[in-house]
Amino acid sequence: MSYSIKYLETISGIKAHTIRIWEKRYKMLKPNRTTTNIRYYDDFHLKKILNVATLLDSGYKISRIAKFTDREIRDEIKKCMDHAVDSHDLSSFLVSELIIAALNFDKIHFEKTFNTGILKMGFHKTVELVLFPTLKKIGALWQSEEISPAQEHFFSSMVKQKLFSAIDGIPEPEQSSKKCILFLPEDEEHEIGLLYFNYILLKGGIKTVYLGARTPIQNIFESVKII
């Protein structure tokens, strides 16, 4: 795929002006050119700028990063991930990796990255510090039409699968437990936040009745009477 410099700014958090300076000063990125001399970037550039942003977040100086080969950058990121003790530092690596997985429709890479988060941070922190920030970035790119709806749907689907799996692994609370009805109104279909709230309630021993997205309000009243 081809990307604008504004796209690289949005997804990496590095200003377009800064990227251009790095191109001139360090020859870090060499954009492609169309036949009409318009600059654009490809998947290689995207992955590199995400990796650079990750190392910057970890305290590396740009002057040092610029001297690394592409292989050395990847090695440094792996080294940082292996030794990360702070959840914020680790989450920065994982968000970048998940974005790459989403853009490439790479389920295996998604699974590997997600499992790394679970192993090092646990489920709660992986969802809140990694999955949600990634969704926010991908959602912003989708709204600005920088990525296709299919890429956003792919990632959302993978996140839902993980939440459903986690929910299925929780024992059903006792019948005498407090009960909550969970639903979204008729004009709302994005239920990832609701699924996560369902998980939290069940983990807390509260019984839930999950009605999901686009629920007519009359159905809520009827459900309350039955329950």
Side-chain angles (χ1 to χ4, degrees):
M1 294 184 65
S2 61
Y3 310 103
S4 65
I5 195 167
K6 186 65 178 176
Y7 178 98
L8 296 190
E9 175 183 311
T10 302
I11 206 166
S12 68
I14 300 171
K15 295 294 185 183
H17 175 68
T18 302
I19 294 174
R20 288 196 181 98
I21 290 175
W22 291 350
E23 288 175 6
K24 293 180 180 178
R25 183 176 300 171
Y26 302 113
K27 312 298 181 187
M28 183 170 290
L29 294 178
K30 187 178 180 181
N32 303 312
R33 298 276 180 175
T34 65
T35 53
T36 54
N37 207 34
I38 297 174
R39 59 202 289 142
Y40 69 93
Y41 301 83
D42 56 26
D43 288 336
F44 170 79
H45 298 120
L46 174 64
K47 291 176 185 178
K48 183 160 186 175
I49 201 66
L50 282 172
N51 289 335
V52 169
T54 299
L55 290 179
L56 287 172
D57 284 343
S58 298
Y60 286 69
K61 299 291 187 183
I62 187 60
S63 56
R64 182 185 176 196
I65 299 172
K67 295 176 182 177
F68 291 147
T69 64
D70 296 323
R71 177 59 183 272
E72 286 171 338
I73 287 176
R74 292 295 304 170
D75 289 343
E76 289 298 314
I77 285 181
K78 186 177 186 307
K79 193 186 302 180
C80 290
M81 286 181 65
D82 290 341
H83 295 94
V85 292
D86 181 81
S87 295
H88 176 268
D89 289 341
L90 180 60
S91 65
S92 176
F93 298 126
L94 298 180
V95 167
S96 291
E97 293 300 311
L98 285 182
I99 289 172
I100 292 171
L103 297 181
N104 292 323
F105 298 100
D106 192 336
K107 182 178 179 180
I108 294 175
H109 191 41
F110 176 96
E111 294 281 356
K112 183 178 179 181
T113 305
F114 180 81
N115 290 338
T116 298
I118 296 293
L119 184 64
K120 290 183 174 284
M121 297 192 295
F123 187 79
H124 278 284
K125 286 188 175 180
T126 300
V127 171
E128 294 179 7
L129 299 181
V130 180
L131 292 185
F132 283 172
T134 307
L135 276 167
K136 187 176 180 180
K137 281 195 173 186
I138 290 176
L141 293 170
W142 175 72
Q143 288 181 334
S144 62
E145 299 183 345
E146 292 278 8
I147 64 173
S148 74
Q151 289 165 314
E152 190 269 342
H153 290 169
F154 166 79
F155 188 77
S156 296
S157 176
M158 294 298 297
V159 172
K160 286 181 184 179
Q161 288 179 36
K162 293 303 178 185
L163 289 171
F164 280 126
S165 179
I167 290 168
D168 287 342
I170 303 173
E172 186 69 16
E174 298 290 336
Q175 280 297 118
S176 58
S177 300
K178 290 182 179 179
K179 298 181 181 70
C180 283
I181 294 178
L182 298 179
F183 70 97
L184 295 178
E186 292 179 77
D187 59 348
E188 180 57 67
E189 62 183 32
H190 299 289
E191 60 180 328
I192 288 178
L194 192 69
L195 281 170
Y196 183 52
F197 196 47
N198 188 27
Y199 168 84
I200 291 173
L201 289 172
L202 289 170
K203 286 286 284 187
I206 297 175
K207 190 174 181 64
T208 62
V209 177
Y210 192 86
L211 302 183
R214 293 188 175 277
T215 307
I217 193 66
Q218 185 57 40
N219 290 6
I220 307 303
F221 296 135
E222 294 167 356
S223 301
V224 168
K225 290 178 183 178
I226 295 171
I227 294 168

